[in-house]
Amino acid sequence: MSLTQIGPVYSGRASAVRAGEVVLSLVASGLVGMRGWTGVRRLQHPYDRSLQLGLDRLAALCVRAGRDAPVGVQDLVGVWCAERSMNLWPLEFDPDAQVDGERLLIGGEPSEFCLEWAVSAQDVVSEVHENALVKEIKKMAAQLGRPELYARWRLFVTEHAVLVPDAFVAAKNAVLEVPQWATWIEESYGRVTAEMTVGGRAAVCGGCGQWISPRADGRVRCRVWRCARRPDLPEPNWVEARGAWRLEPELVRFVALPGGPELDLARQLAARGARVVLYPKLDALDLVAVWPDGYSVGVDVKDWRSPYLLARRIKMFPAWGADDPHAYGRGCLVVPYDRVRANPNYMKILARRSEALRAQPQVEVISDRDLVASCPDLGVMGEVVCGP
């Protein structure tokens, strides 16, 4: 007697969940690979390999589950990713992944949910350039005995998305005693192209401060998800494009955008009198803040929509002796308040899912708003610095 198998064949639910996460990561990575910084390109072959692999695995799971599979990549992208929320896909997910109602494409662009599930290591160009440059800067700064140079570079590129010619030359000459500095700036920026401009000018978002490439319909609207959701997003700032330079897309994605919440927090703490050191010991932490009364806090800022994914990426906090110039008495993993407000279970999922947090119970998970409120305000302005 033959039996018809209905549903996936797995050794257990954990295997089914892993299979679902692999498909989701592959498809999300493929969508991001098609996107670049300027939006999802017109569908045409060859497709991103991750997208094709995701389609193949999804089709196999659909067959095992007795469900209709996507009919090619265009159906996967145009219907499944753009119109169906993930809970309607024939995949299993852990409840803490919170996939209900989430779509991979919104308005033709990868959603924030999609961006976080994408595996950035498969973006070869970005991975090679961003990682190689960052590693080179850290290595040289260490060899020179000038670890603050890395923090200074990171601060600069986070704050300067577009440079007019004179500003670009000034940036290259900002640290004349370190000849490598000019090379780091050159490798961090590329020319502003005609496709980036409107009427001979380049747009810089009034929210996140990063450059905006116009959409196909000519509209200029920031694609960063926190900006896209803001009803009060300021109008873009416009920069003369002739001879201008813009931050490389991979540095926008992996350095400048994550750096925004870190710098915002640093400045809020400084406004209450703290002395804040950025990226101490070549980014061992995002910042160490010394309160006006001398109490010190080591901080790692994590701006993630998904606590389920963030939990996998939390690392151990460094242990520095009391005589270390960056010693801190309190370790804090800081999450932007709007993330916690939008997801009441954020902190619970993070605590439940993070092995690193369980291994270091002394580390406090706190919102940026609560950390700022805990800093005593004596009415004296502090400072944000890149060195001891």
Side-chain angles (χ1 to χ4, degrees), residues 76-296:
L76 173 63
V77 175
V79 177
W80 286 63
C81 297
E83 299 179 3
R84 296 185 186 179
S85 58
M86 292 305 305
N87 53 294
L88 299 179
W89 292 39
L91 304 173
E92 286 195 48
F93 294 100
D94 191 291
D96 282 348
Q98 299 179 308
V99 305
D100 287 6
E102 297 283 3
R103 286 185 291 145
L104 293 175
L105 288 177
I106 297 177
E109 292 287 332
S111 64
E112 188 175 35
F113 174 83
C114 176
L115 292 172
E116 289 193 347
W117 275 96
V119 181
S120 61
Q122 295 184 11
D123 183 353
V124 178
V125 175
S126 294
E127 184 75 4
V128 169
H129 184 212
E130 182 262 343
N131 269 356
L133 180 59
V134 169
K135 288 178 181 178
E136 175 62 24
I137 295 173
K138 286 183 176 181
K139 176 183 176 181
M140 187 56 61
Q143 289 179 353
L144 294 171
R146 298 276 305 274
E148 80 283 356
L149 288 174
Y150 168 76
R152 185 170 174 180
W153 169 81
R154 185 159 182 165
L155 174 62
F156 182 86
V157 298
T158 298
E159 291 186 310
H160 298 86
V162 178
L163 296 171
V164 297
D166 288 349
F168 184 67
V169 172
K172 290 172 58 178
N173 294 331
V175 190
L176 290 175
E177 72 275 18
V178 180
Q180 296 88 345
W181 177 270
T183 301
W184 298 344
I185 295 298
E186 288 177 347
E187 294 189 9
S188 300
Y189 290 84
R191 290 283 189 179
V192 171
T193 61
E195 293 77 13
M196 285 183 55
T197 65
V198 176
R201 297 183 300 168
V204 177
C205 179
C208 67
Q210 300 308 311
W211 54 267
I212 309 171
S213 187
R215 298 175 184 266
D217 60 6
R219 290 191 304 150
V220 177
R221 176 77 179 182
C222 186
R223 294 171 172 81
V224 174
W225 277 90
R226 181 171 270 113
C227 297
R229 291 196 301 264
R230 282 185 60 177
D232 61 340
L233 183 67
E235 289 295 315
N237 300 311
W238 293 91
V239 180
E240 172 60 44
R242 185 187 296 271
W245 298 75
R246 53 91 179 113
L247 189 61
E248 292 286 4
E250 53 270 24
L251 296 181
V252 171
R253 179 180 175 188
F254 295 112
V255 177
L257 287 177
E262 298 159 4
L263 294 184
D264 287 345
L265 175 60
R267 286 166 179 149
Q268 289 180 61
L269 292 173
R272 295 177 72 92
R275 183 179 189 271
V276 184
V277 179
L278 293 174
Y279 313 116
K281 296 196 175 184
L282 302 174
D283 205 15
L285 286 172
D286 290 330
L287 55 96
V288 170
V290 182
W291 286 181
D293 60 6
Y295 187 66
S296 59

Side-chain angles (χ1 to χ4, degrees), residues 47-87:
Y47 299 111
D48 186 279
R49 183 170 182 270
S50 296
L51 196 60
Q52 186 64 56
L53 289 174
L55 172 62
D56 294 343
R57 290 187 178 228
L58 175 59
L61 292 174
C62 286
V63 170
R64 292 177 184 178
R67 298 278 296 275
D68 291 336
V71 184
V73 174
Q74 291 196 28
D75 186 34
L76 173 63
V77 175
V79 177
W80 286 63
C81 297
E83 299 179 3
R84 296 185 186 179
S85 58
M86 292 305 305
N87 53 294

Side-chain angles (χ1 to χ4, degrees), residues 281-346:
K281 296 196 175 184
L282 302 174
D283 205 15
L285 286 172
D286 290 330
L287 55 96
V288 170
V290 182
W291 286 181
D293 60 6
Y295 187 66
S296 59
V297 181
V299 176
D300 196 14
V301 182
K302 295 297 184 185
D303 183 18
W304 282 72
R305 175 189 176 93
S306 170
Y308 181 74
L309 293 177
L310 170 57
R312 303 175 180 182
R313 291 162 172 81
I314 297 173
K315 299 179 180 179
M316 300 296 289
F317 271 52
W320 297 328
D323 58 344
D324 192 286
H326 301 303
Y328 57 93
R330 174 188 177 195
C332 291
L333 182 81
V334 175
V335 178
Y337 174 73
D338 63 340
R339 300 295 192 187
V340 180
R341 180 182 58 189
N343 186 349
N345 292 318
Y346 198 105

